Amino acid sequence: MCARERRLHAGPILLLAVVANWPYCAVAATPGEEAYFNDLPSIVTVTRLEQSPLEIPAAVTIIDRPMIEASGAVAIPDLLRLAAGFQVGHPYGTRSTVTYHGMTNEYSQRMQVLVDGRSVYSPVFGGVEWPLLPLALEDIERIEVTRGPNAVTYGANSYLGVINIITTHPAANTEHAYTKVIGETGGDFQKALMRQGGSSGDLDYYLTLEHRWDAGLDDSEPNGTRQEFDESRINQLRFRSEYRADINDYLDIQLGVNDAQLGQGKFNDPVSQVRMTDNLAHFQQISWRHEEDTQQQTQLLFYHEYTDLQNELETAPLSAIFNVSPQLVETILGVPDQPVAGNIGHTSERYNLELQHRYRVTPTLRAVSGAEARLDRVRAPGLLDIKEWNNAYLYRLFSNGEWRTTPQWLVNGGAMVEYSEAVGSLISPRLAVNYLLNQEQAIRASYTRAYRTPSIIEQHAYLVSTLAYDGGVIDELLKSRGGLEPERMDAWELGLAGDHNGRGSYDLKLFREKMSGLITVASELNPSDPYCAIAETVHYPDFCRVDAYSNSGEIVTTGAELQLGYRPSSARMASFAWSHFFQREGEILFSRNSSGDNYVGLDAWVPEDTLTLLAQQGLGSDTALSVMVHHVDSWLSAGKINDVRFTTANARLSKRFKVAGDEGTIAFWVNDLLGSYYDFFYFSPTTPRTYLSVELAF
């Protein structure tokens, strides 16, 4: 340890000395103003201001292009395992859930996801419909993951964290065409991608086409009988261009469409019949950016999103569901024996207009301010108590400022004010202080508040099953009483960050998070349910219950996280992510019975330990070997199922080559090579899969 480092880490920093000196000893320089404006990587997600990793007021993980390729991931959600404190689950083969610090259901409603500044958070269920996202993995330049609440910058629903996916700039794809083919051993996964870039005067652009087919998770029972039907066929197109009108003005246009057929249901299940569903999603986005000088920039962003999910269900006849005679069904219900029908499909649209302005107030104070207006429209007659279009308006004003009081001290502060008819006005503030120990290390302390507003399904749910032929309601499944309040989080953070010219970096974070008013769903008796008439007769009392939403949960957590990065050369790379909880206290309403309310603890919703290690080593001759290991300890056992805990690993071998002057790569890898495991409930296991890919740029 360097002598100067021992002096700098005195006092409260002594506890973090081991981390602070990994993998290097910081430069022994006398702090001066020039030492605090060195050329470190810029991060824009946290405050909307370009800041170095030492200046940001929150913990951030950067997943860049080399990490994406080395990970072996074939779907975007799996990349998020590289961020400290993140869990990724696959409740079904066609659905992924991504969360930070646990605390999720299959829709992951507490995580904001952006693509080039466009929110893809679903207004219906919340979360992201990952299979319907018109975005290829190969078009991603990097992902900036804010680990912690950031409603001050992006508003309600930026609750546990923010995932900002930044795509490749058009100027990077103007001189070549690119194609990639991936196949899985056994033929259960196929992917073909083509991208063509070009330029014309001041216009740069590229177009990406992708086809993907996946047989789904291997969900066979020991006797070979398949359970979940999760096959998927996805075709998508994405276009991005930038036009340089003059030296100060830039116009960015993006378009995308995703046409997907997704498998649903279970084999040999009279209730959830197997079926393929048709789904369509598309977006249009245009942004104008005016750069007055290096200190002032104005941006106007407009986008439109459309999603149409078709998911109709017809069961086996009631007599087959309850294993009784058709005559008994007719006797009890007074209608002929027939199937039950349901429709959980929905159509949604979003129109969003945002204006932001970055500016410098004084030589030591700069800020970004803006306004946003949004209209979300949802039509889901089978899901909601509203049969026509449901319109939800949202208005926001925001501002973030960075004040450098001295060369060493930096203050970040800001607030988001937003209004919607559903919950009224909300104010999300943040105050953070950073102290730069030297040109490569800094301490930060922050407080922030965030909210999550109820999704439309939580506020207006009325999901029922109807008689297929007669149309009458036969079973109430899910409902909301309305009037739900937003969830609230108050978070405190103490961090130590370092960056050594991009070759080595670390971020150690201590945190305390207090969440209240958590929106949960609990099962309760529903004697008026028409199903009760037959359910009691055949001893199926669970059919006399309904799930209902309420604000009935709270939790307090404290813990630590560590994110390490090491990249001494383009051939060598390592990334380590770890999180640990010291405290996990809280409870939610689980069910209501005649004897009273039943609450369960929330400690198992938050895994005690999560860690990921990614390492890559060049083997010479343009060959590289990468390995990723991921472990989650004790997750999602909140009174419903056994603990989910697992360790898995990916291994990838790649070789770069040239053909007639064109560059290409061939890669072979195995995902989940340690064997089968469950990563989200005990529905469908994830099993080892082997892939081969060939890509060529010409």
Side-chain angles (χ1 to χ4, degrees):
M1 187 176 187
C2 298
R4 187 171 187 82
E5 285 296 289
R6 284 197 296 268
R7 180 176 65 82
L8 288 173
H9 289 178
I13 310 306
L14 185 60
L15 179 64
L16 311 179
V18 174
V19 175
N21 287 275
W22 184 94
Y24 57 89
C25 215
V27 176
T30 302
E33 186 163 357
E34 69 281 359
Y36 301 97
F37 292 91
N38 56 332
D39 188 20
L40 294 179
S42 293
I43 296 171
V44 299
T45 301
V46 181
T47 63
R48 300 182 187 242
L49 294 168
E50 290 189 358
Q51 296 177 299
S52 80
L54 308 185
E55 299 169 329
I56 55 177
V60 170
T61 297
I62 304 296
I63 303 172
D64 61 11
R65 192 71 234 165
M67 295 173 67
I68 293 172
E69 295 173 354
S71 70
V74 294
I76 296 173
D78 295 329
L79 293 172
L80 280 306
R81 288 179 170 177
L82 295 168
F86 269 69
Q87 295 81 40
V88 178
H90 302 86
Y92 316 103
T94 58
R95 178 172 296 281
S96 299
T97 184
V98 178
T99 187
Y100 178 64
H101 293 175
M103 294 300 301
T104 189
N105 56 25
E106 63 181 271
Y107 293 102
S108 191
Q109 297 145 320
R110 300 178 175 93
M111 183 70 59
Q112 180 64 263
V113 180
L114 310 169
V115 179
D116 293 330
R118 182 181 82 255
S119 173
V120 294
Y121 185 93
S122 169
V124 184
F125 289 98
V128 177
E129 297 287 351
W130 292 102
L132 302 183
L133 197 60
L135 176 63
L137 196 69
E138 289 74 13
D139 281 349
I140 299 175
E141 176 187 324
R142 70 183 188 276
I143 304 175
E144 295 185 358
V145 183
T146 305
R147 307 195 323 267
N150 200 13
V152 62
T153 305
Y154 299 103
N157 306 324
S158 305
Y159 188 78
L160 291 175
V162 176
I163 300 166
N164 187 18
I165 301 173
I166 301 170
T167 65
T168 305
H169 193 275
N173 290 300
T174 59
E175 297 180 356
H176 68 269
Y178 171 83
T179 184
K180 183 175 185 179
V181 178
I182 303 177
E184 182 187 358
T185 304
D188 287 340
F189 179 90
Q190 299 171 5
K191 172 177 172 175
L193 179 141
M194 293 186 295
R195 182 173 63 212
Q196 177 65 58
S199 62
S200 176
D202 292 320
L203 176 68
D204 298 326
Y205 63 89
Y206 65 89
L207 175 70
T208 302
L209 301 172
E210 182 186 67
H211 166 75
R212 186 165 71 247
W213 174 79
D214 192 345
L217 299 177
D218 183 3
D219 46 17
S220 301
E221 293 293 319
N223 62 5
T225 303
R226 289 195 65 193
Q227 294 299 308
E228 300 286 345
F229 178 56
D230 51 16
E231 180 180 338
S232 62
R233 304 185 190 100
I234 298 173
N235 296 289
Q236 60 182 6
L237 173 151
R238 180 173 170 272
F239 172 81
R240 183 179 178 186
S241 67
E242 183 180 80
Y243 174 68
R244 298 177 296 280
D246 54 46
I247 195 172
N248 302 112
D249 295 279
Y250 303 83
L251 190 67
D252 189 303
I253 297 176
Q254 299 190 37
L255 310 169
V257 61
N258 180 304
D259 182 19
Q261 290 77 47
L262 305 178
Q264 303 284 342
K266 298 180 180 180
F267 291 94
N268 305 311
D269 187 331
V271 175
S272 182
Q273 305 275 39
V274 298
R275 60 204 184 276
M276 290 296 288
T277 62
D278 294 321
N279 307 271
L280 176 68
H282 60 76
F283 79 93
Q284 303 82 39
Q285 175 176 325
I286 181 169
S287 66
W288 165 73
R289 186 176 77 255
H290 176 76
E291 297 182 351
E292 186 68 28
D293 51 42
T294 59
Q295 305 298 329
Q296 296 198 72
Q297 180 194 93
T298 302
Q299 178 174 289
L300 182 65
L301 170 67
F302 172 79
Y303 62 86
H304 166 252
E305 295 176 335
Y306 175 89
T307 303
D308 182 52
L309 283 77
Q310 300 295 322
N311 195 352
E312 296 186 17
L313 168 69
E314 185 173 294
T315 71
L318 285 166
S319 58
I321 295 176
F322 290 104
N323 194 25
V324 298
S325 68
Q327 292 77 16
L328 181 59
V329 172
E330 187 169 354
T331 299
I332 295 174
L333 296 180
V335 295
D337 184 29
Q338 58 191 288
V340 174
N343 183 3
I344 57 175
H346 58 269
T347 304
S348 66
E349 280 191 290
R350 171 169 294 160
Y351 298 88
N352 200 97
L353 180 64
E354 177 186 281
L355 175 67
Q356 75 169 35
H357 179 58
R358 298 179 189 170
Y359 53 98
R360 183 170 291 279
V361 182
T362 70
T364 60
L365 175 62
R366 62 189 183 122
V368 56
S369 301
E372 184 177 4
R374 174 180 297 175
L375 167 62
D376 284 332
R377 305 179 69 228
V378 172
R379 184 171 60 191
L383 282 171
L384 307 177
D385 59 359
I386 302 171
K387 304 307 178 185
E388 59 276 357
W389 283 97
N390 179 291
N391 295 330
Y393 295 90
L394 173 67
Y395 307 97
R396 290 171 171 163
L397 294 173
F398 60 87
S399 186
N400 279 296
E402 176 198 85
W403 181 28
R404 190 175 298 275
T405 59
T406 72
Q408 294 87 4
W409 287 98
L410 193 71
V411 179
N412 282 279
M416 168 75 72
V417 180
E418 50 192 325
Y419 173 80
S420 65
E421 291 183 5
V423 299
S425 298
L426 299 174
I427 301 178
S428 302
R430 175 170 59 205
L431 180 63
V433 178
N434 291 39
Y435 179 72
L436 280 68
L437 297 167
N438 53 39
Q439 63 184 5
E440 295 169 346
Q441 299 176 96
I443 305 171
R444 68 173 179 273
S446 70
Y447 162 77
T448 187
R449 179 188 302 161
Y451 294 94
R452 182 181 84 84
T453 56
S455 66
I456 288 179
I457 188 71
E458 290 170 327
Q459 200 72 279
H460 300 286
Y462 186 62
L463 175 60
V464 299
S465 296
T466 60
L467 293 169
Y469 306 151
D470 295 88
V473 173
I474 189 68
D475 188 20
E476 293 183 344
L477 303 172
L478 179 67
K479 66 181 180 181
S480 175
R481 299 181 183 86
L484 293 175
E485 298 293 327
E487 299 179 354
R488 171 173 165 168
M489 177 191 286
D490 292 274
W492 296 262
E493 179 181 322
L494 178 64
L496 175 65
D499 193 294
H500 185 55
N501 297 324
R503 296 194 299 272
S505 63
Y506 65 85
D507 190 298
L508 178 62
K509 167 183 170 179
L510 305 176
F511 60 87
R512 182 178 188 270
E513 298 169 340
K514 180 180 179 181
M515 289 168 269
S516 58
L518 295 177
I519 300 170
T520 61
V521 61
S523 173
E524 61 184 48
L525 292 173
N526 191 32
S528 62
D529 194 326
Y531 245 149
C532 287
I534 192 170
E536 292 178 353
T537 302
V538 296
H539 307 293
Y540 275 86
D542 284 348
F543 281 103
C544 291
R545 304 188 69 88
V546 65
D547 290 337
Y549 291 106
S550 63
N551 292 101
S552 60
E554 60 181 24
I555 188 169
V556 177
T557 62
T558 60
E561 285 178 7
L562 177 62
Q563 187 90 42
L564 301 175
Y566 180 53
R567 195 171 300 180
S569 68
S570 59
R572 297 173 61 197
M573 173 181 64
S575 172
F576 178 73
W578 167 78
S579 69
H580 174 76
F581 282 84
F582 308 122
Q583 176 192 26
R584 301 172 294 167
E585 296 181 353
E587 61 180 12
I588 61 168
L589 180 66
F590 179 63
S591 64
R592 285 192 165 108
N593 300 301
S594 56
S595 57
D597 293 343
N598 176 29
Y599 285 82
V600 296
L602 279 177
D603 57 311
W605 275 32
V606 181
E608 185 173 4
D609 288 283
T610 303
L611 64 89
T612 302
L613 172 65
L614 173 66
Q616 178 172 278
Q617 174 64 54
L619 303 179
S621 302
D622 292 323
T623 304
L625 174 66
S626 60
V627 176
M628 187 175 83
V629 179
H630 179 67
H631 171 77
V632 175
D633 178 62
S634 185
W635 185 30
L636 292 171
S637 65
K640 297 183 179 181
I641 58 168
N642 297 323
D643 287 354
V644 170
R645 61 183 73 209
F646 64 91
T647 302
T648 186
N650 301 345
R652 181 178 184 267
L653 183 66
S654 64
K655 167 73 174 177
R656 297 180 62 185
F657 62 88
K658 286 190 175 182
V659 177
D662 298 325
E663 295 185 352
T665 303
I666 184 169
F668 172 81
W669 71 99
V670 182
N671 286 355
D672 305 307
L673 58 87
L674 299 183
S676 300
Y677 64 95
Y678 294 89
D679 63 10
F680 191 91
F681 296 155
Y682 278 81
F683 294 157
S684 298
T686 298
T687 57
R689 305 183 76 167
T690 303
Y691 301 91
L692 177 67
S693 72
V694 179
E695 55 187 295
L696 183 66
F698 52 92

